[in-house]
Amino acid sequence: MKFLINATRILFLVVFVWLMLKGRMVVWLGIFGISLILALLFGRIFCGWICPMNTLMIPTEWLSKKLKLQSEDTPKWLESGFLSWTLLIVLVLTMSVIKRIFSFEIPILVYILFLSIFVTLRYKPEVFHNKICPFGALQSLTGRFALLSEKVTSDKCIGCKLCETVCPSKAVIVSEQDKVARIDPKMCHQCFSCYLICPKDAISYRRKER
């Protein structure tokens, strides 16, 4: 499973770079648009399997930990999550100015790609995923209604918090009251990191309970 996930991520990263070099980013935006609809059925698979930002943030986080650069805190000015909704507008305006002055255009996704790397060098991935990324904010709108998503079987969960530790988007929270993990489909990237690490096989990808 882990090999399949990583291979899929690398494949889509190659596709992203190829489309960028060919000047066909509209195709990538089409893939994103389709993923928004698919999120109603399968959850935020774009974020966990397809997004080039997430793919590059994984080795960036590893490097950050090795160099002891990562902070445990989230900047207070990012707490509201307001930036994710304004960033897209700011970048569109910036692109328009650059194109008008210098007569060339850099795809907006490239700006966000570099931003994701720089942010992850300093902060945990959840900071970019939950507080900054405008595409993640859009995915959360449809992902919350996912028909299929990663779920926890409560009577199997031992509250070890391993799933909570590996989750890149802080979608998994172990309750202090009953010591059982719960996964928020709105935040979950369906990356299967929690599934792979669970020692009791308490997590599975299944239909939403009614």
Side-chain angles (χ1 to χ4, degrees), residues 160 162-166 192-200 203:
C160 65
L162 289 175
C163 54
E164 189 177 281
T165 302
V166 299
F192 289 87
S193 294
C194 57
Y195 164 81
L196 292 170
I197 203 170
C198 182
K200 295 295 181 179
I203 300 174

Side-chain angles (χ1 to χ4, degrees), residues 44-57:
R44 294 174 58 173
I45 54 174
F46 179 88
C47 296
W49 294 63
I50 300 173
C51 179
M53 290 168 279
N54 181 58
T55 299
L56 293 178
M57 284 168 67

Side-chain angles (χ1 to χ4, degrees), residues 11-24:
L11 173 63
F12 276 105
L13 177 61
V14 171
V15 171
F16 171 80
V17 172
W18 183 79
L19 289 173
M20 181 181 66
L21 294 176
K22 291 292 183 178
R24 298 178 181 176

Side-chain angles (χ1 to χ4, degrees), residues 72-84 123 126-127 130-132 170:
E72 294 292 325
D73 301 320
T74 299
K76 291 184 177 180
W77 58 276
L78 283 176
E79 286 293 347
S80 66
F82 179 73
L83 183 61
S84 62
Y123 302 106
E126 65 198 49
V127 172
N130 300 344
K131 307 295 184 182
I132 299 176
K170 209 173 183 179

